[in-house]
Amino acid sequence: MAHTDHQTMRRVLRREIAGTIGLLTDVHDFRAMRRYRSFTFDDHATYLKQVEAVLKARAAQGTHTTLALFDPEDYAAYCAEAGLDPEAPTSRTRFTAELASTGPTIPYDGRPLATLVPALVDEAVRQATWEYATILLSRLGPCPTCGEDIGRAAFTRASDLLVRILDTAPPGDRHLVCSVSGPPDTLVSVLNGDRDSDGGIRLDEAEALEFTSVLALGLATRSPGGLVLRASAPDTADRVYGWRLRSGGLEPLTASEVFDAYCTDVESGDIISPEPGVDYCSPPDLGDETTAPGHRH
């Protein structure tokens, strides 16, 4: 009887142990891992099917699993720094455990891997964008005139602008895109705000942090760029409007400029048909920005 009780308790405990699977999302990374003899898979499609089978089995047992993005180059560097044998499966386990606390992850929720893999890649891009924007903001240092931290002040100002943009937006779900051009790369950030039952807007905290950081970088460095908002509500046309980043501020786009931007093919420059059920319009007034916090010279 005691033996049976112990087995039951262990089964219960196993269900409460969370796990992380480091996923090789593309063929290039998969091929890079095949240089290790202990990595026994030889086909990426088969590997993904086996991973999905494991995920389903764990879910059926009531076990929570997190998916992490496994990067072979980062793994090799991790093993070299920690003095681990990269051939040892225990080294991959330790690296994956590290990813669970520091890297991009998403929970397995029963959706097919074909759906979860792009979501995991998007999460990795989001985190990398935030980290890059944060590093660039921190490098701006203090203002030579007043000594104020330029990056911190720009983040405060960007936060205030984002609140104003959301507060003045039409009712409904909001989809915002901010792009900042500059050497060496163009940064793009997306923020989705879903309407809740009380009429408020739910924002993902990590998305909002990344979005604000990218906007702050554009403001602080006076880089060219733009910010576009699309508001969607049932039984009404979507409304699209935006601003260009110019001279460290937001300059409203006219309705025709928004129309031209949405109805021009980015690669060819050809005119494309406007999307049905969409109103291209000028943005609402954000108020007097001279009262907003932030660095001004």
Side-chain angles (χ1 to χ4, degrees):
M1 183 68 175
H3 178 69
T4 302
D5 288 344
H6 287 163
Q7 286 182 327
T8 301
M9 286 187 288
R10 287 169 187 164
R11 282 196 297 270
V12 171
L13 287 173
R14 277 196 291 269
R15 287 198 298 267
E16 296 186 6
I17 297 174
T20 303
I21 292 180
L23 189 63
L24 297 162
T25 58
D26 60 50
V27 175
H28 174 77
D29 287 344
F30 180 83
R31 288 173 180 167
M33 284 303 294
R34 290 197 61 203
R35 64 187 174 192
Y36 302 118
R37 293 187 303 275
S38 59
F39 185 77
T40 56
F41 291 96
D42 56 14
D43 177 75
H44 189 237
T46 301
Y47 159 80
L48 290 177
K49 288 180 181 178
Q50 292 300 319
V51 170
E52 190 154 26
V54 170
L55 290 169
K56 289 180 178 178
R58 287 175 58 85
Q61 296 167 359
T63 304
H64 175 79
T65 309
T66 297
L67 294 173
L69 195 66
F70 195 104
D71 187 297
E73 292 185 7
D74 290 346
Y75 171 64
Y78 172 82
C79 290
E81 184 176 345
L84 299 175
D85 178 10
E87 281 284 2
T90 53
S91 299
R92 291 197 287 275
T93 301
R94 286 182 58 176
F95 177 66
T96 300
E98 185 82 9
L99 290 178
S101 60
T102 62
T105 61
I106 59 172
Y108 176 68
D109 56 10
R111 286 180 293 168
L113 274 187
T115 301
L116 290 174
V117 165
L120 180 57
V121 172
D122 287 346
E123 176 63 17
V125 171
R126 183 206 59 73
Q127 182 168 318
T129 300
W130 170 72
E131 291 176 350
Y132 184 60
T134 300
I135 289 172
L136 294 182
L137 283 171
S138 66
R139 288 178 179 172
L140 295 175
C143 171
T145 302
C146 67
E148 184 176 18
D149 187 288
I150 297 173
R152 186 178 296 113
F155 187 88
T156 300
R157 183 177 167 214
S159 300
D160 178 77
L161 282 170
L162 178 57
V163 169
R164 293 178 184 222
I165 289 169
L166 292 172
D167 284 348
T168 57
D173 297 338
R174 291 89 186 265
H175 177 78
L176 296 90
V177 179
C178 180
S179 62
V180 174
S181 303
D185 300 304
T186 295
L187 296 182
V188 179
S189 180
V190 176
L191 178 61
N192 292 296
D194 298 326
R195 183 178 53 181
D196 59 26
S197 57
D198 298 326
I201 293 296
R202 295 190 304 270
L203 298 176
D204 179 271
E205 185 177 343
E207 273 191 8
L209 184 60
E210 177 215 359
F211 190 92
T212 307
S213 298
V214 171
L215 177 57
L217 184 64
L219 296 173
T221 59
R222 296 177 172 264
S223 299
L227 193 159
V228 174
L229 182 144
R230 179 169 183 154
S232 305
D235 303 321
T236 184
D238 286 7
R239 297 187 65 187
V240 178
Y241 54 80
W243 300 260
R244 64 169 56 87
L245 276 166
R246 175 173 289 179
S247 302
L250 291 180
E251 180 181 284
L253 295 171
T254 65
S256 60
E257 288 174 327
V258 177
F259 179 88
D260 289 343
Y262 266 77
C263 300
T264 302
D265 185 273
V266 176
E267 295 183 358
S268 67
D270 295 336
I271 301 298
I272 56 179
S273 299
E275 189 177 348
V278 175
D279 287 341
Y280 304 96
C281 47
S282 300
D285 184 8
L286 297 181
D288 185 6
E289 213 210 329
T290 59
T291 63
H295 190 253
R296 294 293 167 184
H297 55 265

